[in-house]
Amino acid sequence: MEEQEKKLYTLLVYSENIAGILNQITAVFTRRQVNIESLNVSASSIPGVHKYTITAWCYDDQVVKITRQIEKKIDVVKATYFTDDELFIRETGLYKLATDIVLANPEISKAIRRHDAHISEVNPTYVIVMKSGKTEDILSLYRALDAFGCVLQYTRSGRIAVTRSTQEQVSEFLEQREKFETSK
């Protein structure tokens, strides 16, 4: 039997805005001993509903079980999982660079332009560079800048993602739930 490989999955979880729900969601990952790679929580396009974008490396059967367990939580409206090709994904990277090294080496500015990044601030001590894109693009710029020895600090945001479908999947679910509740 062939051994299965872990894949990077993105879970989109919609919940009501209730205190403590994040703890319940992350506890599902902890119980399954799956590490969360990135986590982003924000309001969704539906009033009163928050969207959690969670990435984790896991096996196919694990992601199915984790998603089912999360969806069973009382305050969770909908939970689904996706692979990268099913989503439009973006992250932001911030790079704090030593100004003196940047000014002394024009190749650094070329690398920033080549990676389609933007210089947001320059002062005598540091230069702030910002890059939005896919994870690989953010990491590629980091590696390029790090090779010059100019990186003072680096951070990357959690992933934000939308499905490639025309509406959020939770919209249909909420419409059906509303019809059911009004028919009672």
Side-chain angles (χ1 to χ4, degrees):
M1 188 167 100
E2 197 174 301
E3 191 172 316
Q4 183 180 67
E5 282 188 39
K6 286 186 177 185
K7 295 180 196 169
L8 182 65
Y9 285 99
T10 300
L11 283 81
L12 299 182
V13 179
Y14 297 87
S15 78
E16 300 190 33
N17 189 13
I18 307 292
I21 191 70
L22 178 59
N23 188 40
Q24 292 178 43
I25 291 169
T26 58
V28 173
F29 286 88
T30 303
R31 280 194 301 277
R32 295 250 174 223
Q33 296 183 333
V34 173
N35 188 44
I36 293 173
E37 289 293 317
S38 73
L39 170 67
N40 185 3
V41 182
S42 63
S44 74
S45 60
I46 301 156
V49 175
H50 272 62
K51 181 178 182 178
Y52 300 74
T53 305
I54 305 165
T55 60
W57 287 94
C58 54
Y59 299 109
D60 297 342
D61 60 329
Q62 284 179 310
V63 76
V64 170
K65 290 173 184 172
I66 288 169
T67 304
R68 268 197 228 127
Q69 286 182 323
I70 290 172
E71 203 161 44
K72 287 180 184 177
K73 303 293 177 195
I74 292 172
D75 298 316
V76 170
V77 176
K78 184 82 175 149
T80 49
Y81 63 91
F82 302 90
T83 55
D84 284 2
D85 60 330
E86 299 171 298
L87 298 168
F88 182 81
I89 300 162
R90 286 295 175 263
E91 292 182 11
T92 300
L94 284 177
Y95 314 81
K96 185 177 187 179
L97 313 177
T99 301
D100 57 342
I101 299 173
V102 172
L103 292 176
N105 189 344
E107 292 301 312
I108 297 172
S109 294
K110 287 179 186 174
I112 292 167
R113 285 192 302 278
R114 202 171 32 254
H115 283 84
D116 200 26
H118 306 282
I119 295 175
S120 300
E121 182 180 333
V122 178
N123 69 40
T125 310
Y126 58 83
V127 174
I128 300 293
V129 175
M130 186 168 65
K131 165 88 180 125
S132 292
K134 295 181 180 177
T135 309
E136 313 83 66
D137 302 333
I138 306 295
L139 291 172
S140 175
L141 177 57
Y142 171 73
R143 286 190 287 273
L145 295 172
D146 194 45
F148 291 112
C150 63
V151 179
L152 300 173
Q153 290 181 38
Y154 160 72
T155 191
R156 196 174 88 213
S157 71
R159 172 178 283 193
I160 57 171
V162 292
T163 63
R164 295 200 179 268
S165 65
T166 55
Q167 67 175 357
E168 293 202 57
Q169 291 190 333
V170 74
S171 300
E172 283 180 34
F173 175 83
L174 290 172
E175 287 170 14
Q176 290 172 353
R177 187 173 78 172
E178 192 174 305
K179 285 178 187 174
F180 176 75
E181 288 175 0
T182 56
S183 69
K184 284 184 180 181

